[in-house]
Amino acid sequence: MPETAAPPATVPWPPILVAGLVAAAVALSYAFPLAWPGESDLLGHIAGLGLGATGLALFVWAALTLHRHGTTILPDKAADALVTDGPFRFRRNPIYISHVFMLFGIAELTHNIWFVILAILYIPLVTWLAVLPEERHLEARFGDAYRDYASRTRRWI
């Protein structure tokens, strides 16, 4: 493993994208209001909030796992360890998955469908701006160990 590695990106795209999408969803709800397609029933509310809570729990679990391994959570910093346990055992990008779930939860809380629409848009944007550069970084940094991990662990779903 090389002693130093260039960071995967110079801009921390994921938090910028999430903040931008939240602001856009709020602005769009005023500029172009769309009716909430769901029912205002207890089961729908529980399901929506359950997704949001699951996203928050997944985020905390992933962050604690990265911290335990002594590597960064920051998407614009070089990784110091290849983390393949915790939530990373199941998916390569649990933090970005958690963002989508949390946006779905906010959608249910606010009954703002723009959060759902923009959460879906977040997936290709974060893949292009963050995931692909991170994958190149991890492959350059950890070589065969990363390639083996990537071959057995799905990126998203």
Side-chain angles (χ1 to χ4, degrees):
M1 173 173 48
E3 289 298 315
T4 60
T10 56
V11 176
W13 285 113
I16 291 169
L17 286 172
V18 169
L21 293 177
V22 167
V26 171
L28 286 166
S29 72
Y30 287 105
F32 305 102
L34 296 175
W36 181 250
E39 295 291 325
S40 292
D41 64 343
L42 181 61
L43 289 178
H45 194 64
I46 290 170
L49 294 181
L51 280 174
T54 299
L56 181 59
L58 181 58
F59 181 86
V60 170
W61 185 24
L64 290 173
T65 302
L66 292 172
H67 178 73
R68 187 168 38 84
H69 284 278
T71 194
T72 186
I73 191 173
L74 302 174
D76 59 330
K77 303 296 181 205
D80 292 319
L82 178 61
V83 179
T84 62
D85 64 335
F88 297 91
R89 171 181 36 209
F90 306 107
R91 295 292 180 266
R92 297 196 311 256
N93 298 291
I95 291 175
Y96 305 146
I97 294 169
S98 79
H99 292 165
V100 173
F101 282 11
M102 286 188 283
L103 289 167
F104 287 163
I106 293 169
E108 172 58 38
L109 267 177
T110 62
H111 283 187
N112 179 345
I113 193 65
W114 286 108
F115 279 103
V116 174
I117 295 166
L118 295 176
I120 294 167
L121 179 63
Y122 173 82
I123 295 167
L125 287 174
V126 80
T127 299
W128 179 57
L129 293 169
V131 171
L132 296 176
E134 286 174 8
E135 289 178 350
R136 288 189 294 272
H137 163 75
L138 292 170
E139 185 172 7
R141 180 86 193 227
F142 302 106
D144 287 338
Y146 175 73
R147 285 187 286 277
D148 177 59
Y149 168 67
S151 73
R152 61 183 161 74
T153 310
R154 298 175 81 140
R155 180 187 286 156
W156 282 100
I157 296 178

